[in-house]
Structures are given as C-alpha cells and as structure tokens.
Amino acid sequence: MRSASLVRTGLTDDVVAQLTDYEASDLPESWKAALALCDRLSGYEHKGVIPAELYERLGEHFNEQQILRLGALLASASGWHRMIEAFGIRPDHYQADTSAPWAAAAG
C-alpha cells in the first residue's frame, strides 16, 4: 500500500506499508484497535454490531466518548471515500491545472 496523501499528513512510508497487515505490525495497540474498528465500520471484513471483544479492546485505549467520536469520524471518512470514488476523483494524483474528472462526461 502506498498513499501520497497519508505521507503528506506526516506518516512515513514505513507506517503506511504496515497498514496492510496492521495486526501483525509494530504499530501501537491503540492504532490497531482503531484500525479494527475502521475495518468493521467499512464492512471490509464483517458487518453488523461491533462485537464485545472489539469494544473491550477499544476501551483499553479510549473512553466511550472517544470511541463514539472515532466511529463518527470513520463513518464520515467512509462516506467521503465513496463519494470521491463515485466522481472519479483521485486525490493522490490531483493537479490544480486539470479539469474535474466529471467535466468530460458533462460535456
């Protein structure tokens, strides 16, 4: 995995590479718990109610308000991601002098 937008936010290439298999990585346990929640909310691996084990794992690092805020942030980001995919926007390849990807279709 490689993401210029993640690197621009301050993550190193090494950290970004570890996101692919974060459970086996040396990332902080709080990050791993948050990434597991991200996978759960995105429907990447599982759907439905957050299992008690994951909620307990999150509770080791975050309080209830932080867990809800993290969930809201992840839900917002997931919706944003789906929107940019639908419009064909490629943030890592954005160039200020190019037309919007949907401009040709509107044509």
Side-chain angles (χ1 to χ4, degrees):
M1 172 192 278
R2 184 160 171 77
S3 172
S5 59
L6 288 176
V7 172
R8 279 194 303 272
T9 65
L11 295 178
T12 64
D13 283 331
D14 178 56
V15 169
V16 173
Q18 292 183 63
L19 296 176
T20 302
D21 187 12
Y22 61 86
E23 291 292 2
S25 74
D26 62 358
L27 293 172
E29 292 302 316
S30 59
W31 288 31
K32 292 179 184 182
L35 288 165
L37 178 62
C38 181
D39 281 349
R40 187 69 184 203
L41 292 180
S42 70
Y44 178 69
E45 291 187 13
H46 306 285
K47 294 182 181 179
V49 176
I50 296 171
E53 300 82 30
L54 177 54
Y55 195 79
E56 289 171 17
R57 183 178 175 193
L58 289 162
E60 294 173 10
H61 307 285
F62 308 102
N63 64 39
E64 287 185 15
Q65 184 178 26
Q66 290 171 321
I67 293 169
L68 288 174
R69 285 182 175 175
L70 181 58
L73 175 65
L74 292 170
S76 176
S78 179
W80 177 257
H81 180 74
R82 289 184 177 148
M83 187 201 78
I84 65 172
E85 282 183 347
F87 283 100
I89 299 169
R90 299 189 61 201
D92 286 351
H93 304 284
Y94 173 77
Q95 295 178 6
D97 59 339
T98 59
S99 298
W102 55 85

